[in-house]
Amino acid sequence: MKITMSMKNMSMRVIMIKSRKPKRNLGMLKLGVAVSSMAATWLGTNWLAQQDGGMAVAETAVFTPQQPTNSFNLPPIPTIVAPTGGTAPQQDRRSVAPTTQNPVIIPTIAAPHLQQLQVTTQDGSFTLDLSPIPAAQAPVFNQPIARSRSSR
Amino acid sequence: MKQQWHSHSFRAMGSRISLWLEYENDDEACGALRQTEAMFAVAETRLTRFSDTSELSRLNQRPEQWVPVSNVLWGMAGLAVARAQETNGLFDPTTLPALEAAGYGRSFELLPAQPILPSGSGEPCGGWRQIRFNREQQAIWLPEGVRLDMGGIGKGVTAQQAASFLSQWGACLVDAGGDLVAGDGPTGNVGWPVAISAPWSQPDETPRDLLRLWLRNGTLATSGVDYRRWGNAHHLIDPRTGRPAETDVITASVLAADASRAEAWATAALIAGLDDGLEMLEAAELPAALVDERQRVYMTEKMYPLVM
């Protein structure tokens, strides 16, 4: 079953797994919508709007929960902040106000048990790791932080 | 609010990608870094030549047809051809048949370590001159026998997009397998302290630094024949001969505001060789450093003021 949904500056399709039980379908639909919204956010709404003329790259999105979901005790669907889109940071980075105009909504909608997101596009599929990234120590600026060398 | 440092590394496009971001909020920084990782993943699935289903492969599989393409591939192909023109064809995005003939037909990690007889196609490349673009249809037409390879330029441009994206949050640096793209410098510094490594160092070995400089709002790209070798062949094809380049330059590093420009000129200078390469880079007024097999460094005039 394919569902086409629209968000500001993007559209996408969610592939659902068919089930004989309507309640499961409804649950999968809700989860699919939430997850696909998250996938699109993960792909960077501003970037997508810039790169693909508003069409989301993730034309299909399925997710791989770490915990079994056969009980379908779904977490409440969180409020999804509508992505603003439309800004073009490459043209003038400094004109783009950080975060207030470009909200990062992943932390606000991520279900706690979601650790990975598998994204399938017509080009292929890949898995996104959703685990937190801890803060790093401040670099030491009296030595090189990175080195330019042949591609490796 | 106190600035926090965030760093994240992952593999994409056959390389190790490392990101640095200075921003005060941990959760938002984490989200930005994860989104950047997703950008690389999307670009890789779209631009890789090692998957038959990538958009690039689907374009390459349909010669002599107008193929509508995404904004990403449209922009990337246009940039590649523009850089080929700018470097008079020494940077050539259509060397793929020669590269495969030289043995680089699979992802580098899968190539055999044992020596093979590298030959290349032995035919001059330059097929980019016959590529046609239809702006209204956003479609690309490839002649028979011509296939695009977005290898180096794709990674560099994606790194630049990543840096632009992260710059919305704060100072950032992207290291895409040795190609460095910086946004603004971190608080209290004029830029990011980076170095050009000596060639021949192993991937996990801390290399000797030949030059150090501050990098800010620009790209430092290095092309070399010291890595991505198999047997006695390497991955940089001389488009004039269709064979792995015979050059007295081991690595060429170029600094430019635009990643595709830095990538293309680094490749072109390396293929041209020391004398011609330096002359080209001087004419293009680019800061650059070439390293020969005795690890002697040759810099353009524009490079001197930038070195620490």
Side-chain angles (χ1 to χ4, degrees):
Chain A
M1 179 178 183
K2 289 183 179 176
I3 294 176
T4 302
M5 57 176 285
S6 298
M7 295 173 65
K8 192 173 181 180
N9 281 331
M10 66 173 64
S11 65
M12 67 180 63
R13 285 176 296 166
V14 179
I15 289 186
M16 288 179 56
I17 302 167
K18 281 189 176 178
S19 166
R20 292 177 182 172
K21 299 185 178 179
K23 277 190 178 178
R24 290 192 177 185
N25 264 342
L26 181 61
M28 285 298 289
L29 170 61
K30 287 180 178 176
L31 190 61
V33 170
V35 168
S36 62
S37 301
M38 185 165 67
T41 306
W42 271 93
L43 297 174
T45 52
N46 289 329
W47 180 70
L48 285 171
Q50 183 185 347
Q51 295 297 315
D52 255 10
M55 292 295 292
V57 172
E59 289 178 318
T60 63
V62 293
F63 86 113
T64 310
Q66 198 172 50
Q67 295 178 356
T69 57
N70 53 9
S71 66
F72 290 95
N73 290 324
L74 300 171
I77 294 183
T79 304
I80 298 171
V81 181
T84 53
T87 54
Q90 254 192 321
Q91 293 170 6
D92 182 0
R93 287 198 284 260
R94 297 298 91 195
S95 69
V96 180
T99 66
T100 51
Q101 291 181 15
N102 303 279
V104 179
I105 60 176
I106 300 151
T108 63
I109 70 167
H113 65 275
L114 271 181
Q115 294 293 313
Q116 285 187 326
L117 187 70
Q118 185 183 347
V119 179
T120 304
T121 74
Q122 60 177 350
D123 299 315
S125 61
F126 54 88
T127 302
L128 298 179
D129 185 357
L130 304 186
S131 56
I133 300 170
Q137 287 191 329
V140 180
F141 288 105
N142 61 3
Q143 62 188 40
I145 292 173
R147 292 173 171 83
S148 186
R149 49 184 172 173
S150 323
S151 183
R152 59 194 66 198
Chain B
M1 196 176 286
K2 186 187 174 189
Q3 294 294 82
Q4 293 278 358
W5 286 95
H6 305 275
S7 179
H8 180 45
S9 294
F10 54 92
R11 281 201 73 81
M13 298 180 147
S15 295
R16 187 83 181 158
I17 312 292
S18 297
L19 314 172
W20 285 265
L21 176 63
E22 183 185 28
Y23 188 64
E24 70 263 17
N25 184 295
D26 287 350
D27 287 341
E28 291 179 12
C30 171
L33 294 175
R34 288 293 188 201
Q35 289 181 70
T36 308
E37 182 177 356
M39 288 171 65
F40 275 95
V42 170
E44 180 173 11
T45 56
R46 182 160 283 180
L47 300 174
T48 180
R49 67 180 171 95
F50 300 117
S51 164
D52 288 342
T53 60
S54 74
E55 187 182 17
L56 177 66
S57 293
R58 285 184 275 123
L59 171 65
N60 283 337
Q61 290 157 9
R62 296 170 64 189
E64 300 192 329
Q65 297 178 49
W66 283 105
V67 180
V69 295
S70 68
N71 281 5
V72 174
L73 186 53
W74 173 262
M76 206 73 81
L79 269 178
V81 170
R83 296 307 174 209
Q85 286 172 335
E86 186 180 325
T87 58
N88 202 23
L90 280 181
F91 167 78
D92 187 335
T94 57
T95 58
L96 187 51
L99 194 58
E100 290 175 346
Y104 196 2
R106 291 183 285 171
S107 183
F108 178 73
E109 292 79 7
L110 303 175
L111 290 178
Q114 68 270 22
I116 56 175
L117 293 175
S119 58
S121 63
E123 295 177 9
C125 306
W128 57 271
R129 292 184 175 86
Q130 281 82 49
I131 297 175
R132 290 151 63 186
F133 294 85
N134 184 322
R135 187 182 296 274
E136 288 181 0
Q137 303 286 327
Q138 194 166 299
I140 298 176
W141 186 94
L142 299 179
E144 184 70 44
V146 172
R147 287 179 291 149
L148 280 167
D149 178 16
M150 295 299 162
I153 202 169
K155 189 170 58 182
V157 172
T158 304
Q160 185 169 20
Q161 290 170 338
S164 280
F165 180 72
L166 288 173
S167 288
Q168 295 176 102
W169 285 269
C172 64
L173 177 68
V174 178
D175 176 355
D179 292 333
L180 311 179
V181 186
D184 284 345
T187 305
N189 290 276
V190 295
W192 295 85
V194 300
I196 295 174
S197 285
W200 310 116
S201 54
Q202 296 299 311
D204 297 330
E205 178 188 346
T206 301
R208 189 166 69 88
D209 297 333
L210 294 178
L211 294 175
R212 292 185 179 188
L213 59 152
W214 296 103
L215 185 63
R216 182 184 62 188
N217 292 322
T219 297
L220 179 62
T222 296
S223 280
V225 293
D226 57 330
Y227 193 67
R228 291 190 191 272
R229 301 182 70 93
W230 57 99
N232 48 353
H234 60 79
H235 73 297
L236 286 178
I237 297 291
D238 186 338
R240 298 167 298 188
T241 64
R243 299 181 188 280
E246 294 180 12
T247 174
D248 51 356
V249 177
I250 304 302
T251 62
S253 303
V254 174
L255 184 60
D258 185 280
S260 69
R261 192 156 192 247
E263 296 277 357
W265 279 97
T267 300
L270 187 134
I271 289 170
L274 196 53
D275 293 339
D276 290 347
L278 278 173
E279 191 176 327
M280 289 166 45
L281 292 165
E282 293 285 11
E285 298 188 342
L286 286 167
L290 307 185
V291 182
D292 70 8
E293 57 189 13
R294 295 177 65 182
Q295 298 198 353
R296 289 177 297 204
V297 182
Y298 302 81
M299 291 189 285
T300 61
E301 281 190 23
K302 293 276 185 186
M303 192 69 171
Y304 282 100
L306 304 176
V307 175
M308 288 183 195

